[in-house]
Amino acid sequence: MKETASAIENFASLRPYLFTVAYNMLGSVMDAEDMVQEAYVRWQRAGAVAESPKAYLTAVTTRLCIDHLRSAKVQREEYIGPWLPEPLVQGSYPPAEENVTLSETLSLALLVLLESLSPTERAVFLLREIFDYEYAEVAATVGKSEANCRQMVRRARQHLAAGKPRFDVPLPQQESLITQFSQAVLAGDLDGLIELLAEDIEVWSDGGGKVTAARKIIVGREKVAHFLLGVTRLAPENAETQVALINGQLGIVARVDGRPVLVMALEMGNGRIQAIRNILNPDKLHHVR
């Protein structure tokens, strides 16, 4: 069936939203794009007709993501070192000209926590808690009863509560702290750096076996401070760093010869850095521009 101009416009207007749904489900830009494109293909096959294109495409995208997560389970279990989501650096995706806000895109910390849920639980939690769907809509989307969905959301809330990031720091305060952090690291100021780190800070490094990266989570501010200064001393002389919005929070992007080699996401609160998540796997940096 030949597509109408309105059908194409409908999908184009929904694409950024569908991408956000898929990205929050999968934690991968490339996979999210693939799921959205496959949802479009299926919509075309169905005649690109639905009473609510948004509801239809959201349901198809969500189900595709659930299936994809089930198939990716073994890959995640065999991953070398800590696994982290692919970062969304504002200005890299979606393109700036689309004028899309990323307000519904979750932080890397929350995306990591969602990995502990089953694919269906993750979908139900996101649709209800992040995208404000009614339970009837959630149930229809995932093919479960409303009662079952309510139970899954309740369990997910309890499961995530203990590890949920505790801080919501305004961007100006984040900027001040990240400036102090960068200055201390570049100056090799061990004592100054330690003062900026929380006692129980954790550093996750995701190299995926593709590049050199710590394969275990580093815990404690003294260990973390020595680790950060050590890797900084090994950085190439032509490395350049830039502060950027990473999944809605300020962080640092490092480049060598213009090529991104590190995205450092920081979790900040109480005047200190609570956690650092380093993405070094080159497969996860293709969309960082």
Side-chain angles (χ1 to χ4, degrees):
M1 179 176 178
K2 187 176 180 180
E3 284 185 290
T4 64
S6 62
I8 297 173
E9 290 171 0
N10 269 336
F11 180 78
S13 66
L14 289 170
R15 188 181 190 107
Y17 165 79
L18 296 172
F19 170 83
T20 305
V21 172
Y23 173 78
N24 284 340
M25 278 289 294
L26 304 176
S28 165
V29 172
M30 183 178 297
D31 291 341
E33 289 174 337
D34 288 345
M35 297 304 104
V36 173
Q37 187 59 35
E38 178 60 24
Y40 179 54
V41 170
R42 296 192 181 195
W43 192 47
Q44 285 180 307
R45 290 174 184 165
V49 176
E51 183 177 341
S52 171
K54 181 179 180 180
Y56 178 87
L57 286 164
T58 300
V60 172
T61 301
T62 301
R63 290 166 189 160
L64 287 168
C65 289
I66 289 173
D67 290 341
H68 184 82
L69 282 175
R70 287 170 177 161
S71 67
K73 187 174 185 295
V74 174
Q75 296 176 14
R76 298 280 173 88
E77 290 173 348
E78 295 177 350
Y79 198 81
I80 298 174
W83 180 93
L84 290 171
E86 188 174 341
L88 271 183
V89 180
Q90 190 158 318
S92 63
Y93 190 95
E97 59 267 21
E98 289 189 13
N99 195 28
V100 176
T101 64
L102 300 179
S103 60
E104 290 178 319
T105 299
L106 300 182
S107 68
L108 290 183
L110 275 174
L111 288 174
V112 169
L113 282 175
L114 289 178
E115 288 291 303
S116 62
L117 303 179
S118 73
T120 302
E121 286 174 335
R122 183 167 180 158
V124 169
F125 178 81
L126 288 171
L127 290 173
R128 176 62 185 169
E129 299 293 288
I130 305 303
F131 297 103
D132 296 322
Y133 276 61
E134 297 296 331
Y135 275 108
E137 298 172 296
V138 176
T141 298
V142 300
K144 301 289 184 180
S145 69
E146 287 187 48
N148 199 345
C149 289
R150 289 178 187 275
Q151 190 177 38
M152 280 192 274
V153 169
R154 185 167 56 252
R155 284 201 306 262
R157 284 175 183 160
Q158 294 171 348
H159 193 70
L160 298 178
K164 188 175 181 180
R166 298 157 287 171
F167 310 104
D168 185 11
V169 182
L171 287 178
Q173 293 180 22
Q174 291 184 39
E175 185 175 6
S176 174
L177 186 52
I178 205 170
T179 297
Q180 297 175 62
F181 171 78
S182 299
Q183 290 173 345
V185 169
L186 293 174
D189 180 2
L190 178 62
D191 292 336
L193 180 57
I194 288 174
E195 282 301 308
L196 297 173
L197 306 178
E199 287 276 0
D200 57 351
I201 185 174
E202 294 183 349
V203 172
W204 301 47
S205 297
D206 179 346
K210 305 292 180 69
V211 296
T212 301
R215 295 192 178 184
K216 293 184 178 180
I217 299 170
I218 300 170
V219 182
R221 62 181 184 177
E222 284 80 11
K223 289 182 179 179
V224 167
H226 283 287
F227 170 75
L228 291 172
L229 295 183
V231 296
T232 299
R233 284 192 291 268
L234 297 175
E237 291 185 4
N238 60 340
E240 299 178 341
T241 60
Q242 163 189 19
V243 175
L245 273 174
I246 301 165
N247 289 64
Q249 305 291 313
L250 284 183
I252 296 171
V253 177
R255 293 178 173 85
V256 174
D257 296 327
R259 178 176 57 86
V261 295
L262 165 68
V263 169
M264 177 184 285
L266 305 178
E267 183 184 329
M268 296 175 256
N270 290 342
R272 286 184 167 81
I273 296 169
Q274 305 290 328
I276 299 174
R277 292 172 177 83
N278 296 320
I279 298 94
L280 303 102
N281 186 341
D283 294 343
K284 298 184 178 183
L285 302 179
H286 289 312
H287 292 269
V288 180
R289 296 174 185 156

Short mmCIF file of all heavy atoms in Angstrom, two decimals, residues 131-178:
data_model
loop_
_atom_site.label_atom_id
_atom_site.label_comp_id
_atom_site.label_asym_id
_atom_site.label_seq_id
_atom_site.Cartn_x
_atom_site.Cartn_y
_atom_site.Cartn_z
N PHE A 131 7.02 7.45 31.07
CA PHE A 131 6.20 7.99 29.99
C PHE A 131 4.73 8.16 30.36
O PHE A 131 3.91 8.53 29.52
CB PHE A 131 6.34 7.09 28.74
CG PHE A 131 7.74 7.06 28.20
CD1 PHE A 131 8.56 5.97 28.44
CD2 PHE A 131 8.25 8.13 27.48
CE1 PHE A 131 9.87 5.94 27.96
CE2 PHE A 131 9.55 8.11 27.00
CZ PHE A 131 10.36 7.02 27.23
N ASP A 132 4.39 7.91 31.63
CA ASP A 132 3.07 8.22 32.19
C ASP A 132 1.91 7.55 31.47
O ASP A 132 0.83 8.14 31.32
CB ASP A 132 2.84 9.74 32.20
CG ASP A 132 3.81 10.46 33.11
OD1 ASP A 132 4.12 9.90 34.19
OD2 ASP A 132 4.28 11.56 32.76
N TYR A 133 2.08 6.33 31.03
CA TYR A 133 0.99 5.59 30.42
C TYR A 133 0.05 5.07 31.51
O TYR A 133 0.49 4.72 32.61
CB TYR A 133 1.53 4.41 29.62
CG TYR A 133 1.97 4.76 28.21
CD1 TYR A 133 3.00 5.67 27.99
CD2 TYR A 133 1.35 4.18 27.11
CE1 TYR A 133 3.40 5.99 26.71
CE2 TYR A 133 1.76 4.49 25.82
CZ TYR A 133 2.78 5.40 25.63
OH TYR A 133 3.17 5.74 24.36
N GLU A 134 -1.24 5.02 31.21
CA GLU A 134 -2.19 4.41 32.12
C GLU A 134 -1.95 2.90 32.13
O GLU A 134 -1.44 2.32 31.16
CB GLU A 134 -3.62 4.70 31.67
CG GLU A 134 -4.00 6.18 31.69
CD GLU A 134 -3.97 6.77 33.09
OE1 GLU A 134 -4.21 6.01 34.05
OE2 GLU A 134 -3.69 7.98 33.22
N TYR A 135 -2.33 2.26 33.21
CA TYR A 135 -2.08 0.82 33.33
C TYR A 135 -2.77 0.03 32.22
O TYR A 135 -2.24 -0.98 31.75
CB TYR A 135 -2.52 0.31 34.70
CG TYR A 135 -1.46 0.50 35.75
CD1 TYR A 135 -1.61 1.46 36.75
CD2 TYR A 135 -0.30 -0.28 35.75
CE1 TYR A 135 -0.62 1.63 37.73
CE2 TYR A 135 0.68 -0.11 36.71
CZ TYR A 135 0.52 0.85 37.70
OH TYR A 135 1.50 1.02 38.66
N ALA A 136 -3.94 0.50 31.79
CA ALA A 136 -4.64 -0.20 30.70
C ALA A 136 -3.82 -0.16 29.42
O ALA A 136 -3.73 -1.15 28.67
CB ALA A 136 -6.01 0.44 30.47
N GLU A 137 -3.16 0.99 29.16
CA GLU A 137 -2.33 1.13 27.96
C GLU A 137 -1.07 0.28 28.09
O GLU A 137 -0.63 -0.36 27.12
CB GLU A 137 -1.95 2.59 27.76
CG GLU A 137 -3.12 3.53 27.52
CD GLU A 137 -2.69 4.99 27.52
OE1 GLU A 137 -2.23 5.48 28.58
OE2 GLU A 137 -2.82 5.63 26.46
N VAL A 138 -0.48 0.26 29.27
CA VAL A 138 0.72 -0.56 29.51
C VAL A 138 0.39 -2.02 29.30
O VAL A 138 1.14 -2.76 28.62
CB VAL A 138 1.26 -0.33 30.93
CG1 VAL A 138 2.45 -1.26 31.20
CG2 VAL A 138 1.68 1.12 31.13
N ALA A 139 -0.73 -2.46 29.85
CA ALA A 139 -1.13 -3.86 29.74
C ALA A 139 -1.34 -4.26 28.29
O ALA A 139 -0.91 -5.34 27.85
CB ALA A 139 -2.42 -4.10 30.55
N ALA A 140 -1.99 -3.38 27.52
CA ALA A 140 -2.23 -3.68 26.12
C ALA A 140 -0.92 -3.73 25.33
O ALA A 140 -0.77 -4.54 24.41
CB ALA A 140 -3.16 -2.63 25.51
N THR A 141 0.03 -2.91 25.72
CA THR A 141 1.31 -2.85 25.00
C THR A 141 2.14 -4.10 25.21
O THR A 141 2.72 -4.64 24.26
CB THR A 141 2.12 -1.61 25.46
OG1 THR A 141 1.39 -0.43 25.13
CG2 THR A 141 3.48 -1.57 24.78
N VAL A 142 2.21 -4.60 26.44
CA VAL A 142 3.08 -5.74 26.75
C VAL A 142 2.33 -7.07 26.78
O VAL A 142 2.95 -8.12 26.99
CB VAL A 142 3.82 -5.53 28.09
CG1 VAL A 142 4.68 -4.27 28.04
CG2 VAL A 142 2.84 -5.47 29.26
N GLY A 143 1.02 -7.02 26.61
CA GLY A 143 0.24 -8.26 26.60
C GLY A 143 0.10 -8.92 27.95
O GLY A 143 0.06 -10.15 28.05
N LYS A 144 0.00 -8.11 29.00
CA LYS A 144 -0.20 -8.62 30.36
C LYS A 144 -1.47 -8.00 30.92
O LYS A 144 -2.00 -7.02 30.40
CB LYS A 144 0.99 -8.27 31.26
CG LYS A 144 2.34 -8.82 30.78
CD LYS A 144 2.42 -10.32 30.96
CE LYS A 144 3.80 -10.84 30.56
NZ LYS A 144 3.91 -12.30 30.73
N SER A 145 -1.95 -8.54 32.04
CA SER A 145 -3.12 -7.96 32.68
C SER A 145 -2.72 -6.70 33.45
O SER A 145 -1.55 -6.51 33.79
CB SER A 145 -3.74 -8.96 33.66
OG SER A 145 -2.88 -9.17 34.77
N GLU A 146 -3.71 -5.85 33.70
CA GLU A 146 -3.43 -4.64 34.47
C GLU A 146 -2.92 -4.99 35.86
O GLU A 146 -1.98 -4.35 36.36
CB GLU A 146 -4.69 -3.77 34.59
CG GLU A 146 -5.08 -3.06 33.30
CD GLU A 146 -6.23 -2.09 33.51
OE1 GLU A 146 -6.17 -1.29 34.48
OE2 GLU A 146 -7.19 -2.13 32.72
N ALA A 147 -3.51 -5.97 36.48
CA ALA A 147 -3.08 -6.38 37.82
C ALA A 147 -1.63 -6.84 37.80
O ALA A 147 -0.84 -6.51 38.70
CB ALA A 147 -3.99 -7.49 38.35
N ASN A 148 -1.27 -7.59 36.79
CA ASN A 148 0.11 -8.07 36.66
C ASN A 148 1.06 -6.89 36.48
O ASN A 148 2.15 -6.86 37.07
CB ASN A 148 0.20 -9.03 35.46
CG ASN A 148 1.43 -9.90 35.53
OD1 ASN A 148 2.35 -9.63 36.28
ND2 ASN A 148 1.46 -10.95 34.73
N CYS A 149 0.67 -5.92 35.66
CA CYS A 149 1.51 -4.75 35.43
C CYS A 149 1.70 -3.93 36.71
O CYS A 149 2.80 -3.44 36.98
CB CYS A 149 0.91 -3.88 34.33
SG CYS A 149 1.02 -4.61 32.68
N ARG A 150 0.62 -3.77 37.48
CA ARG A 150 0.73 -3.04 38.74
C ARG A 150 1.71 -3.74 39.68
O ARG A 150 2.53 -3.09 40.35
CB ARG A 150 -0.64 -2.94 39.41
CG ARG A 150 -1.62 -2.01 38.72
CD ARG A 150 -2.97 -2.00 39.43
NE ARG A 150 -3.94 -1.23 38.68
CZ ARG A 150 -4.10 0.08 38.76
NH1 ARG A 150 -3.33 0.77 39.59
NH2 ARG A 150 -5.02 0.71 38.04
N GLN A 151 1.66 -5.05 39.69
CA GLN A 151 2.55 -5.82 40.55
C GLN A 151 4.00 -5.67 40.09
O GLN A 151 4.92 -5.52 40.91
CB GLN A 151 2.14 -7.29 40.52
CG GLN A 151 2.85 -8.15 41.55
CD GLN A 151 2.35 -9.58 41.53
OE1 GLN A 151 2.05 -10.12 40.46
NE2 GLN A 151 2.22 -10.20 42.71
N MET A 152 4.22 -5.67 38.78
CA MET A 152 5.58 -5.51 38.25
C MET A 152 6.14 -4.14 38.57
O MET A 152 7.32 -4.01 38.92
CB MET A 152 5.58 -5.76 36.74
CG MET A 152 5.59 -7.22 36.36
SD MET A 152 5.95 -7.49 34.60
CE MET A 152 4.31 -7.34 33.91
N VAL A 153 5.32 -3.10 38.46
CA VAL A 153 5.78 -1.75 38.79
C VAL A 153 6.13 -1.66 40.27
O VAL A 153 7.16 -1.08 40.65
CB VAL A 153 4.71 -0.70 38.41
CG1 VAL A 153 5.07 0.67 39.00
CG2 VAL A 153 4.59 -0.59 36.90
N ARG A 154 5.30 -2.23 41.12
CA ARG A 154 5.55 -2.20 42.56
C ARG A 154 6.86 -2.91 42.89
O ARG A 154 7.68 -2.40 43.66
CB ARG A 154 4.38 -2.84 43.30
CG ARG A 154 4.49 -2.76 44.83
CD ARG A 154 3.17 -3.09 45.52
NE ARG A 154 2.68 -4.41 45.13
CZ ARG A 154 1.63 -4.62 44.34
NH1 ARG A 154 0.96 -3.60 43.84
NH2 ARG A 154 1.23 -5.85 44.04
N ARG A 155 7.05 -4.07 42.30
CA ARG A 155 8.30 -4.82 42.55
C ARG A 155 9.51 -4.04 42.02
O ARG A 155 10.56 -4.01 42.67
CB ARG A 155 8.24 -6.20 41.89
CG ARG A 155 7.37 -7.20 42.62
CD ARG A 155 7.76 -8.63 42.23
NE ARG A 155 7.73 -8.82 40.78
CZ ARG A 155 6.72 -9.35 40.11
NH1 ARG A 155 5.63 -9.74 40.77
NH2 ARG A 155 6.77 -9.50 38.81
N ALA A 156 9.36 -3.44 40.85
CA ALA A 156 10.47 -2.69 40.25
C ALA A 156 10.84 -1.49 41.11
O ALA A 156 12.02 -1.21 41.33
CB ALA A 156 10.10 -2.24 38.84
N ARG A 157 9.83 -0.79 41.61
CA ARG A 157 10.10 0.36 42.49
C ARG A 157 10.90 -0.08 43.72
O ARG A 157 11.88 0.57 44.10
CB ARG A 157 8.78 0.99 42.94
CG ARG A 157 8.06 1.83 41.90
CD ARG A 157 6.74 2.27 42.47
NE ARG A 157 5.93 3.01 41.53
CZ ARG A 157 4.61 3.17 41.63
NH1 ARG A 157 3.96 2.59 42.65
NH2 ARG A 157 3.95 3.87 40.75
N GLN A 158 10.48 -1.17 44.33
CA GLN A 158 11.17 -1.67 45.52
C GLN A 158 12.59 -2.10 45.18
O GLN A 158 13.54 -1.84 45.93
CB GLN A 158 10.38 -2.83 46.12
CG GLN A 158 9.02 -2.45 46.68
CD GLN A 158 8.18 -3.65 47.06
OE1 GLN A 158 8.50 -4.79 46.71
NE2 GLN A 158 7.09 -3.42 47.77
N HIS A 159 12.74 -2.75 44.05
CA HIS A 159 14.04 -3.27 43.63
C HIS A 159 15.02 -2.14 43.33
O HIS A 159 16.22 -2.23 43.64
CB HIS A 159 13.86 -4.14 42.40
CG HIS A 159 15.07 -4.96 42.07
ND1 HIS A 159 15.48 -6.03 42.84
CD2 HIS A 159 15.96 -4.87 41.06
CE1 HIS A 159 16.57 -6.56 42.32
NE2 HIS A 159 16.89 -5.87 41.24
N LEU A 160 14.51 -1.06 42.73
CA LEU A 160 15.38 0.04 42.31
C LEU A 160 15.62 1.05 43.42
O LEU A 160 16.58 1.83 43.35
CB LEU A 160 14.78 0.76 41.10
CG LEU A 160 14.59 -0.06 39.82
CD1 LEU A 160 13.93 0.78 38.75
CD2 LEU A 160 15.93 -0.60 39.32
N ALA A 161 14.76 1.07 44.43
CA ALA A 161 14.82 2.13 45.45
C ALA A 161 16.17 2.21 46.13
O ALA A 161 16.72 3.30 46.33
CB ALA A 161 13.72 1.91 46.49
N ALA A 162 16.76 1.06 46.49
CA ALA A 162 18.01 1.06 47.25
C ALA A 162 19.16 1.64 46.44
O ALA A 162 20.04 2.33 46.98
CB ALA A 162 18.36 -0.36 47.68
N GLY A 163 19.17 1.40 45.13
CA GLY A 163 20.30 1.85 44.34
C GLY A 163 20.04 3.09 43.53
O GLY A 163 20.91 3.56 42.81
N LYS A 164 18.82 3.65 43.63
CA LYS A 164 18.47 4.82 42.82
C LYS A 164 19.34 6.02 43.17
O LYS A 164 19.56 6.31 44.35
CB LYS A 164 16.99 5.18 43.03
CG LYS A 164 16.50 6.25 42.08
CD LYS A 164 15.00 6.48 42.26
CE LYS A 164 14.50 7.54 41.30
NZ LYS A 164 13.05 7.79 41.44
N PRO A 165 19.88 6.73 42.17
CA PRO A 165 20.67 7.93 42.46
C PRO A 165 19.91 8.88 43.39
O PRO A 165 18.74 9.15 43.19
CB PRO A 165 20.87 8.55 41.07
CG PRO A 165 20.83 7.38 40.15
CD PRO A 165 19.80 6.45 40.74
N ARG A 166 20.60 9.37 44.39
CA ARG A 166 19.93 10.13 45.45
C ARG A 166 19.93 11.63 45.20
O ARG A 166 19.38 12.39 45.98
CB ARG A 166 20.65 9.85 46.78
CG ARG A 166 20.62 8.41 47.22
CD ARG A 166 21.77 8.10 48.18
NE ARG A 166 23.04 8.05 47.47
CZ ARG A 166 24.23 7.97 48.06
NH1 ARG A 166 24.28 7.95 49.37
NH2 ARG A 166 25.33 7.92 47.35
N PHE A 167 20.57 12.08 44.15
CA PHE A 167 20.82 13.50 44.02
C PHE A 167 20.24 14.08 42.73
O PHE A 167 20.22 13.43 41.70
CB PHE A 167 22.33 13.77 44.06
CG PHE A 167 23.01 13.11 45.22
CD1 PHE A 167 23.76 11.96 45.04
CD2 PHE A 167 22.87 13.62 46.50
CE1 PHE A 167 24.37 11.34 46.11
CE2 PHE A 167 23.48 13.00 47.58
CZ PHE A 167 24.24 11.86 47.39
N ASP A 168 19.77 15.31 42.84
CA ASP A 168 19.30 16.05 41.69
C ASP A 168 19.95 17.43 41.76
O ASP A 168 19.40 18.36 42.34
CB ASP A 168 17.77 16.15 41.71
CG ASP A 168 17.23 16.82 40.45
OD1 ASP A 168 18.01 16.99 39.50
OD2 ASP A 168 16.03 17.19 40.44
N VAL A 169 21.14 17.54 41.22
CA VAL A 169 21.96 18.74 41.39
C VAL A 169 21.73 19.69 40.21
O VAL A 169 21.86 19.28 39.05
CB VAL A 169 23.45 18.37 41.48
CG1 VAL A 169 24.30 19.61 41.69
CG2 VAL A 169 23.67 17.36 42.60
N PRO A 170 21.41 20.96 40.47
CA PRO A 170 21.24 21.93 39.37
C PRO A 170 22.52 22.05 38.54
O PRO A 170 23.63 21.90 39.07
CB PRO A 170 20.94 23.24 40.11
CG PRO A 170 20.42 22.82 41.45
CD PRO A 170 21.16 21.56 41.78
N LEU A 171 22.35 22.32 37.26
CA LEU A 171 23.50 22.38 36.36
C LEU A 171 24.57 23.38 36.78
O LEU A 171 25.77 23.08 36.66
CB LEU A 171 23.03 22.67 34.93
CG LEU A 171 22.34 21.50 34.21
CD1 LEU A 171 21.88 21.93 32.82
CD2 LEU A 171 23.27 20.31 34.10
N PRO A 172 24.23 24.57 37.29
CA PRO A 172 25.30 25.49 37.73
C PRO A 172 26.19 24.89 38.81
O PRO A 172 27.41 25.09 38.81
CB PRO A 172 24.52 26.71 38.25
CG PRO A 172 23.23 26.67 37.50
CD PRO A 172 22.90 25.22 37.37
N GLN A 173 25.60 24.13 39.75
CA GLN A 173 26.40 23.49 40.79
C GLN A 173 27.24 22.36 40.19
O GLN A 173 28.38 22.14 40.60
CB GLN A 173 25.50 22.96 41.90
CG GLN A 173 24.81 24.04 42.70
CD GLN A 173 23.92 23.49 43.80
OE1 GLN A 173 24.10 22.36 44.24
NE2 GLN A 173 22.94 24.27 44.24
N GLN A 174 26.67 21.63 39.25
CA GLN A 174 27.45 20.60 38.57
C GLN A 174 28.65 21.22 37.85
O GLN A 174 29.76 20.68 37.89
CB GLN A 174 26.58 19.88 37.54
CG GLN A 174 25.49 19.00 38.12
CD GLN A 174 24.74 18.24 37.03
OE1 GLN A 174 25.34 17.77 36.06
NE2 GLN A 174 23.44 18.11 37.20
N GLU A 175 28.42 22.37 37.21
CA GLU A 175 29.49 23.03 36.46
C GLU A 175 30.63 23.44 37.38
O GLU A 175 31.81 23.27 37.05
CB GLU A 175 28.93 24.24 35.72
CG GLU A 175 29.94 24.91 34.80
CD GLU A 175 29.32 26.04 34.00
OE1 GLU A 175 28.15 26.38 34.23
OE2 GLU A 175 30.02 26.60 33.14
N SER A 176 30.28 23.98 38.55
CA SER A 176 31.31 24.39 39.50
C SER A 176 32.14 23.21 39.97
O SER A 176 33.38 23.27 40.03
CB SER A 176 30.64 25.08 40.70
OG SER A 176 31.60 25.37 41.70
N LEU A 177 31.47 22.10 40.28
CA LEU A 177 32.17 20.92 40.80
C LEU A 177 33.03 20.28 39.72
O LEU A 177 34.17 19.86 39.98
CB LEU A 177 31.16 19.92 41.34
CG LEU A 177 31.71 18.68 42.06
CD1 LEU A 177 32.69 19.08 43.15
CD2 LEU A 177 30.57 17.86 42.64
N ILE A 178 32.52 20.23 38.49
CA ILE A 178 33.29 19.59 37.42
C ILE A 178 34.50 20.43 37.05
O ILE A 178 35.55 19.90 36.64
CB ILE A 178 32.39 19.31 36.20
CG1 ILE A 178 32.96 18.15 35.39
CG2 ILE A 178 32.24 20.52 35.31
CD1 ILE A 178 32.03 17.65 34.30
#
